Amino acid sequence: FKTEAKFNRRRSIIREFSVNTSTHGLPGIARSQNLSNRLFWTAALLIFTGVMIFFISASILDYFQYPTQTSVT
């Protein structure tokens, strides 16, 4: 019984954080009433997180490939 109460408390804390965070997608997952809606929000969050990581890494790689010229006299 004690482990179930700890699990429910942790779940309540995570749900409360998810509903009140400014991260888009997490409140949608936390507020979902059915499985299909929760799966939609989870898939959308994962897909757009992947797109974000792709663009950030592409920008960093472009930055480091920028040619530099050093003149030593």
Side-chain angles (χ1 to χ4, degrees):
F1 178 73
K2 190 174 183 179
T3 58
E4 185 177 333
K6 286 174 102 176
F7 175 75
N8 286 337
R9 176 149 171 76
R10 289 179 186 156
R11 188 174 184 179
S12 170
I13 291 170
I14 292 170
R15 183 177 173 87
E16 186 70 23
F17 170 78
S18 297
V19 168
N20 292 319
T21 188
S22 62
T23 304
H24 298 290
L26 288 180
I29 295 170
R31 290 186 188 125
S32 296
Q33 297 295 321
N34 56 22
L35 183 62
S36 62
N37 199 8
R38 187 169 291 134
L39 287 175
F40 167 77
W41 279 108
T42 303
L45 180 68
L46 291 175
I47 289 168
F48 287 112
T49 300
V51 170
M52 177 190 67
I53 290 170
F54 170 76
F55 281 117
I56 289 173
S57 61
S59 297
I60 290 171
L61 289 175
D62 285 344
Y63 174 79
F64 284 122
Q65 290 177 357
Y66 188 77
T68 56
Q69 182 178 5
T70 306
S71 176
V72 179
T73 57

